[in-house]
């Protein structure tokens, strides 16, 4: 494949995945720390706007999926619609707010990493290798962001006691699994030993880690703001991602033991399914598409 | 004196949780509503908020496992 065609494939598949996640959604092209910070800012804004509705005595009733939240002073205020107006794109019928975005090449780590003794030196070395390090509010460990990785951030505000971490992950995971199904890629949630930033709620396809997930829970009064985030490898060299993470964590004094084969990019899965004659929701690489189809 | 406790009902009791970072030092003045620490569990970060204003006394250091309902600090 020529470089020009390779460049054409990436945005096409990413766009198709974004459309499957949220029809009409715009994928933000972020640039470093500001793109990461936008997640926390969005969550804060959602919590603040809910607070405004509470203070003004307006009713507050929110439908997210099949779960209806009723806050104190509830009347008839459609928070789902409110959020959709305020924060496009959104999660449509699910009622939660969805943000789709990419970032430039970087590593993103929980902000607690910055308190560790070797962080500054490790971050400087990673930066010198082309992978600047940025901080995030959600949990987990070091992950890769780059243009071929789609970040999927799902926001919701719930009354305390009506959501837990597993439910937050399941909300996000169900949405991603459904979108992948549209592309003909069966996926599940689970752990993938040997992957970086491993956890019970990875998006797994063919036994390999397609996306990692993390959450942030922020209590405000009787409510909890939830951010569930996934970084899904659409295209690109996942082995190089593993090298970048392992190098940084080794410099931090950790003992990374990752297997590049534990990771996979969506394009690789699509290629394999196309090669096997499977249904991929009409998606093909450009050079393989019949004339006039694209 | 107000106790700062680990929340309950947000994760399975069998999940390992720990304070990943204190955002204020022992003896610092904190304001009610400020995020004073993060609890890490299942790749999730839960922000621990100061329930009152005053001087923070940390009882459990960062990276030490905690359980739901445990008192991890006091504010006086």
């Amino acid at each position: 494949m020529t470089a020009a065609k390779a460049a054409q494939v990436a945005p096409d598949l990413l766009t198709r995945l974004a459309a499957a996640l949220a029809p009409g959604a715009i994928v933000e092209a972020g640039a470093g720390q500001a793109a990461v910070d936008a997640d926390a800012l969005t969550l804060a804004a959602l919590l603040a706007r809910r607070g405004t509705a509470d203070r003004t005595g307006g009713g507050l009733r929110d439908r997210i999926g099949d779960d209806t939240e009723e806050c104190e002073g509830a009347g008839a205020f459609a928070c789902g619609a409110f959020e959709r107006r305020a924060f496009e794109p959104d999660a449509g019928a699910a009622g939660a707010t969805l943000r789709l975005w990419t970032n430039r090449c970087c590593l993103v780590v929980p902000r607690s990493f910055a308190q560790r003794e070797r962080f500054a030196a490790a971050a400087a070395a990673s930066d010198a290798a082309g992978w600047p390090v940025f901080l995030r509010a959600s949990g987990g460990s070091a992950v890769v962001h780059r243009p071929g990785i789609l970040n999927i951030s799902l926001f919701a505000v719930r009354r305390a006691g009506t959501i837990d971490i597993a439910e937050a992950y399941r909300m996000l995971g169900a949405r991603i699994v459904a979108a992948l199904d549209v592309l003909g890629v069966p996926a599940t949630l689970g752990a993938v030993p040997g992957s970086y930033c491993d956890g019970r709620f990875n998006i797994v396809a063919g036994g390999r880690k397609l996306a990692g997930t993390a959450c942030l829970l922020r209590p405000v009064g009787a409510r909890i703001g939830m951010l569930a985030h996934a970084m899904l490898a659409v295209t690109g060299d996942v082995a190089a991602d593993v090298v970048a993470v392992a190098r940084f964590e080794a410099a931090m004094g950790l003992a990374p033991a990752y297997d590049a084969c534990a990771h996979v990019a969506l394009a690789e899965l699509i290629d394999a399914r196309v090669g096997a004659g499977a249904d991929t929701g009409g998606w093909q690489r450009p050079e393989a598409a019949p004339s006039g189809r694209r | 004196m107000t106790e700062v406790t680990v929340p309950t009902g947000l994760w399975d009791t069998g999940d390992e949780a720990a304070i990943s970072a204190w955002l204020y030092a022992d003896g610092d003045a904190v304001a009610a509503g400020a995020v004073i620490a993060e609890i890490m569990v299942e790749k999730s970060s839960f922000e621990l908020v100061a329930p009152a204003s005053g001087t923070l006394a940390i009882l459990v250091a960062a990276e030490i496992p905690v359980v739901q309902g445990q008192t991890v600090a006091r504010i006086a």
Side-chain angles (χ1 to χ4, degrees), chain A residues 128-196:
Chain A
W131 296 92
V133 179
F134 302 119
L135 304 177
R136 68 176 190 265
S138 58
S141 57
V143 300
V144 169
H145 286 189
R146 54 177 172 76
I149 287 178
L150 180 64
N151 292 292
I152 305 155
S153 302
L154 183 72
F155 305 87
V157 177
R158 296 288 187 88
R159 186 176 56 192
T162 64
I163 190 169
D164 61 17
I165 289 170
E167 175 62 14
Y169 279 122
R170 281 192 284 266
M171 282 175 61
L172 175 67
R175 191 163 190 90
I176 295 172
V177 167
L180 291 169
D181 187 60
V182 171
L183 299 182
V185 175
T188 58
L189 304 186
V192 180
S195 66
Y196 65 80

Side-chain angles (χ1 to χ4, degrees), chain A residues 109-115 135-138 216, chain B residues 23 35 38 47:
Chain A
V109 303
R111 56 190 174 193
S112 58
F113 272 44
Q115 294 188 355
L135 304 177
R136 68 176 190 265
S138 58
L216 167 66
Chain B
L23 306 183
V35 177
E38 295 174 340
E47 294 182 335

Side-chain angles (χ1 to χ4, degrees), chain A residues 82-274:
Chain A
F82 172 77
E83 289 170 5
R84 282 193 286 277
R85 287 195 302 273
F87 300 102
E88 296 288 350
D90 58 69
T97 296
L98 196 68
R99 174 181 176 235
L100 304 179
W101 53 290
T102 59
N103 208 343
R104 65 184 176 98
C105 290
C106 61
L107 300 184
V108 181
V109 303
R111 56 190 174 193
S112 58
F113 272 44
Q115 294 188 355
R116 299 189 185 189
E117 185 178 353
R118 298 188 184 181
F119 174 76
S126 183
D127 190 7
W131 296 92
V133 179
F134 302 119
L135 304 177
R136 68 176 190 265
S138 58
S141 57
V143 300
V144 169
H145 286 189
R146 54 177 172 76
I149 287 178
L150 180 64
N151 292 292
I152 305 155
S153 302
L154 183 72
F155 305 87
V157 177
R158 296 288 187 88
R159 186 176 56 192
T162 64
I163 190 169
D164 61 17
I165 289 170
E167 175 62 14
Y169 279 122
R170 281 192 284 266
M171 282 175 61
L172 175 67
R175 191 163 190 90
I176 295 172
V177 167
L180 291 169
D181 187 60
V182 171
L183 299 182
V185 175
T188 58
L189 304 186
V192 180
S195 66
Y196 65 80
C197 200
D198 192 22
R200 286 196 295 137
F201 299 98
N202 299 316
I203 308 298
V204 184
R208 300 166 76 185
K209 180 171 177 174
L210 184 57
T213 54
C215 281
L216 167 66
L217 297 173
R218 176 175 295 167
V220 174
R223 295 167 298 142
I224 292 181
M226 178 207 84
L227 159 65
H229 172 261
M231 37 79 62
L232 193 152
V234 179
T235 60
D237 186 354
V238 294
D241 297 343
V242 172
V243 169
V245 170
R247 180 174 50 219
F248 169 75
E249 291 189 346
M252 286 277 291
L254 305 173
Y258 303 132
D259 178 2
C261 293
H263 294 264
V264 69
L266 180 59
E268 184 180 341
L269 293 169
I270 296 276
D271 275 352
R273 292 185 64 78
V274 169

Side-chain angles (χ1 to χ4, degrees), chain A residues 1 4-10 12 283-291 294:
Chain A
M1 183 190 305
K5 282 196 172 182
Q8 185 181 0
V9 168
D12 179 72
W283 191 88
Q284 298 180 54
R285 284 190 180 274
E287 65 270 29
S291 176
R294 297 180 57 84

